[in-house]
Structure formats: structure tokens, C-alpha cells
Amino acid sequence: MAFTPGIIAFIFLAQCLAYTVKGLIGFGNPLISAPILSMRLDNIVITPGTLLLDCPVNGYITWKNRHSFQWRRILPLLLANLCGVIPGALLLRFSLPWVIKTVLGVVVVFLGLEMATRDHRPVRAGWDLPWLRLVVAFFSGVCAGLFGINMFIVAYLQRTARDYSEFKGSMCFLFLGENLFRLCTYAVGGLLTRDVLLFGLVSVPAAALSMFFGNWLGPRLDERKLQKGAIVLFIFGGVSIIVKSLLFHT
């Protein structure tokens, strides 16, 4: 792939938007960047390239929250999550790009709708079952390997964790373990190509600048309105990539 000035500017602006959202609400950057970047790039570049940014960020957050881990609860989920990463990485390498993008759009729209309707769907008794946690963790790992989106397990644990401290500490540890394992999986699978490294190089300054701006702006804005606006972006981006992929097979 040729990294023309237009492509470089496109990557930079997409990552600026995505990491501004992360700086404002603390999550969701892949739900923003993946659909936008998929308009002109293939996921075989986007997913590994974004991982190069996520590893140091999640490592730093994990260290800050190292005393909040719930080891017995999170280790089985991490193992199930890692088992899902392997088939996800294989699908990323061998599937048709337009098929991957269509499924990506469906995943993003589903997650956006789940977040939008979460307050209207109280947690039902029996949801926090050990086998169900493992199934959700495995499927979330597949999506992480394929799209770099490990949000299904986040959505599940947000609804079942006993408190925010437990949730945040467990998620940070799970994300770091998944990131490092996925990095090794991509390296062994030959997915860390020159294009991926160039993608990461372009994205680093965009992410750093936007995280700083988002952290500065966040306290000055209403958090609930920010989250609602981000969810609208998630859903719109997912729908747009579904339509483009199905119509043009690109």
C-alpha cells in the first residue's frame, strides 16, 4: 500500500478523532477509528497497527491499577480471551477484506446499540454465570484478534462487576495480557508488516495530541452528553461501513 500524503492525512485525522473520544470518555477509540479507517484501508493493516498504540497505553494503566486485580475472577477470562484471539487472527489474515469490514460494521452497530439501551435493561438474575463469562470472553477475543475490538467482555463485566474499582483493575490487566499475546500472534503470523509499522508511526503523534486535548477538554463538558454523542458516532460509523462493503465489495 502506498502511503501517499492523502493516506497519511486520512490516518492522522481518523486517529485524532478516535483518541479525542478516548480522552473524553475513557474508551471507544477502536469503535470510532476502525469503521472510518476501513473506508480506505484493510483491517489487516488497521488492527495490528492500532495494537502498537494500545500496548503501551494499557501497560501504563495496568501498572497504575495493579492493586485492584481480582486474580481468581480475571485469570479464567484472560485465558478464554486469548483462546479467541488465535482464530480471530487467522480470520484476519485469510478472510476477504469486504467480508471482514461488513462483520466489523455489524459488531460496532451492535455495541453502540447495547451501550445506548443499557440503562433501560436491568441486569437479570443468573447473568453472572462462570460458563457465560467464559463464552463472552472467548467471543470478545475473536473480535480482538480480527478487529482490535475487545469490548464485548467490557460490556458484560460493566453490568456484572461488584464495583468500579474491581471492574477497572480487572479490565486493565485483561487488556494488557490480550494485547501482548495478540502482538506475539501477529508477529508469528507475519502480520507486522512494513505498512503496519508505518501506520503506527503516523498514528502515534495523533493519539498523543488527541489524548492530551481530550483530557483537557473532558472536565469542561457534560459526561453523559459526551457518551451519547460518542454512541451516535459508533452507530453511524458501523452503518456506513456495512453499506459501503456490501455495495462495492471493498
Side-chain angles (χ1 to χ4, degrees):
M1 184 183 73
F3 274 72
T4 63
I7 289 292
I8 292 173
F10 175 70
I11 295 171
F12 185 88
L13 292 175
Q15 294 288 53
C16 278
L17 177 60
Y19 279 90
T20 297
V21 170
K22 184 176 179 67
L24 288 172
I25 66 174
F27 67 94
N29 57 296
L31 298 182
I32 295 290
S33 61
I36 295 175
L37 291 167
S38 293
M39 292 292 180
R40 299 187 65 179
L41 303 172
D42 289 335
N43 287 86
I44 201 168
V45 173
I46 299 169
T47 304
T50 302
L51 178 62
L52 298 177
L53 299 177
D54 290 341
C55 274
V57 171
N58 286 322
Y60 171 71
I61 297 173
T62 299
W63 177 253
K64 287 183 63 177
N65 293 275
R66 62 190 182 279
H67 300 301
S68 300
F69 298 161
Q70 301 294 324
W71 294 102
R72 292 184 179 181
R73 184 178 177 86
I74 202 64
L75 280 177
L77 296 181
L78 176 59
L79 293 175
N81 200 244
L82 299 184
C83 289
V85 167
I86 297 173
L90 292 174
L91 288 171
L92 176 64
R93 181 171 184 179
F94 296 111
S95 295
L96 293 173
W98 74 269
V99 175
I100 295 178
K101 292 178 182 181
T102 303
V103 177
L104 166 65
V106 173
V107 168
V108 171
V109 170
F110 177 86
L111 286 168
L113 292 174
E114 193 280 333
M115 290 182 226
T117 60
R118 183 176 297 165
D119 292 340
H120 305 290
R121 293 179 291 105
V123 178
R124 299 176 182 176
W127 270 37
D128 193 19
L129 297 173
W131 69 267
L132 184 57
R133 289 199 300 267
L134 295 177
V135 170
V136 174
F138 176 83
F139 180 72
S140 191
V142 173
C143 291
L146 189 52
F147 308 122
I149 296 175
N150 204 358
M151 290 291 292
F152 280 95
I153 191 62
V154 174
Y156 180 80
L157 289 184
Q158 273 184 324
R159 295 177 64 81
T160 59
R162 289 185 291 271
D163 55 59
Y164 181 73
S165 178
E166 174 191 332
F167 164 75
K168 186 176 181 180
S170 298
M171 280 300 92
C172 292
F173 175 70
L174 188 148
F175 280 161
L176 178 61
E178 176 267 313
N179 284 172
L180 294 175
F181 182 79
R182 187 152 53 97
L183 188 65
C184 294
T185 302
Y186 290 162
V188 172
L191 293 173
L192 297 182
T193 62
R194 172 183 173 275
D195 288 345
V196 168
L197 297 177
L198 288 174
F199 176 94
L201 187 63
V202 173
S203 299
V204 166
L209 177 65
S210 300
M211 284 289 291
F212 175 80
F213 176 70
N215 287 329
W216 173 82
L217 185 62
R220 294 164 172 78
L221 301 175
D222 183 82
E223 183 178 350
R224 291 185 63 85
K225 291 182 179 179
L226 286 173
Q227 291 193 7
K228 289 179 180 178
I231 290 169
V232 171
L233 287 176
F234 298 161
I235 296 173
F236 178 77
V239 170
S240 64
I241 194 60
I242 290 171
V243 172
K244 179 178 182 292
S245 300
L246 290 178
L247 288 181
F248 302 105
H249 284 193
T250 59

